[in-house]
Structure formats: C-alpha cells, structure tokens
Amino acid sequence: MELGYDDYLRRHREVVYSLYRANMRNRMIAAYADGEIVGVVWVGMRVDTVHFVGVGYIYDIEVIRDLRGKGIGSKLLQMAEETCREWGVKEVMLAVEANNFEAIKWYERMGYAPKRYLMSKRLRAFE
Ligand SMILES: CC(C)(COP(=O)(O)OP(=O)(O)OC[C@H]1O[C@@H](n2cnc3c(N)ncnc32)[C@H](O)[C@@H]1OP(=O)(O)O)[C@@H](O)C(=O)NCCC(=O)NCCS
C-alpha cells in the first residue's frame, strides 16, 4: 500500500493495539546488543478459527539487517516456541507473504511447513 510514512506508522500502531487486545496472551521478546534492540519477536495466543483451540501465533519476527545470519532470529523463534509450550498450546502458526521467499526458506529450515492457503482477491485498487 502506498501510505506515507506517518500514515503507515499510525495504521501500524492501530493494528498492533487491536490484535494485542484481541489475543488471549501476548509476549514480546527483544534481543539486545550494546544496550540497543537488534531483534524482536511478538508471539500471541489466539483461537484458531478452523479448530477453535488456542494456538500460538508469531505476528512479527525481525532482526536488523547488519546482524542477520548470526543466530539471533533462530534464538528468538525458539524462545517464542518455548513461550507457546509454557502456555500449553500444541501448535504455533504464522503468516508470511507468498513472495517472501527468503523468509519462507528460513521458516522451513526452522521446521515450519505450509498448512493452509490464505487466499485473497483484490476488490479495488489500493489507494
Ligand atoms: C527471517 C529473519 C528473522 C532470520 O533471522 P536471522 O537472525 O538472520 O536468522 P539466523 O541467523 O538465526 O538463521 C539461522 C539459520 O538459518 C540460516 N538462514 C539464514 N537465512 C536463511 C535463508 N534466507 N534461507 C535459509 N536459511 C537461512 C542460517 O544460515 C542459519 O543456519 P545454521 O544454523 O545452519 O548456521 C531475518 O532474516 C529478518 O529479519 N528478515 C527480515 C524480516 C522478515 O522477513 N521476517 C519474517 C517475515 S514474516
């Protein structure tokens, strides 16, 4: 979507707040280097809309570009999965853009596999 940066930030904040409130639980985990945040993962617990059981859901995982490939992302993901075990859920899910091939390869390496198709149809052009 072609939003200006301020609009993007505002929309991002609104979406994060509403998802955060809708979840049964949330945990945000940060990785630090020299006192600065260099990576984050946000994991929530929500109800799966197909089976109606609680599932862990990775909403966001990111490591700053300069520090990628050093094991930070996999450690964050592992901690998010441990959080899900602690919550007693049996499954952890996430959505990734179908054209984010690098992230898809990485998730597959971390043991994730496609389970459902999330389908989309454009009703009108994005403004
Ligand atoms: C995806 C992301 C979080 C991974 O974090 P990272 O810190 O770079 O990952 P790690 O260093 O922990 O990777 C661990 C392993 O995966 C491998 N790996 C790294 N990138 C890979 C890739 N694109 N494809 C396959 N394997 C990859 C590493 O070589 C490493 O393997 P090893 O343990 O055998 O040495 C990071 O690349 C990122 O922030 N990407 C941009 C944001 C993004 O796309 N997030 C997901 C969107 S939903």
Side-chain angles (χ1 to χ4, degrees), residues 7-121:
D7 282 339
Y8 170 80
L9 277 187
R10 187 182 46 75
R11 283 293 298 139
H12 183 264
R13 196 168 298 130
E14 284 169 6
V15 169
V16 168
Y17 283 155
S18 73
L19 286 171
Y20 194 93
R21 278 195 298 264
N23 284 335
M24 297 146 88
R25 310 186 74 148
N26 291 281
R27 187 171 284 170
M28 286 168 178
I29 304 166
Y32 287 82
D34 299 327
E36 300 283 327
I37 291 182
V38 295
V40 288
V41 61
W42 168 20
V43 57
M45 180 175 164
R46 67 187 212 183
V47 176
D48 176 46
T49 50
V50 175
H51 299 295
F52 301 115
V53 291
V55 289
Y57 202 93
I58 307 285
Y59 286 94
D60 200 13
I61 182 162
E62 187 151 6
V63 172
I64 61 164
R65 204 173 288 279
D66 290 354
L67 292 181
R68 289 181 193 164
K70 295 182 186 299
I72 298 171
S74 48
K75 181 69 189 171
L76 287 169
L77 190 58
Q78 184 196 326
M79 291 175 80
E81 290 170 4
E82 277 163 20
T83 296
C84 292
R85 284 196 196 92
E86 200 184 291
W87 289 341
V89 301
K90 296 194 178 122
E91 192 173 20
V92 57
M93 301 172 85
L94 56 88
V96 54
E97 292 293 319
N99 62 1
N100 191 350
F101 302 111
E102 284 300 304
I104 292 168
K105 267 195 298 177
W106 185 77
Y107 284 128
E108 284 175 345
R109 199 181 172 111
M110 298 295 136
Y112 289 71
K115 174 168 174 163
R116 284 180 199 150
Y117 288 113
L118 181 66
M119 300 184 78
S120 145
K121 174 179 170 183

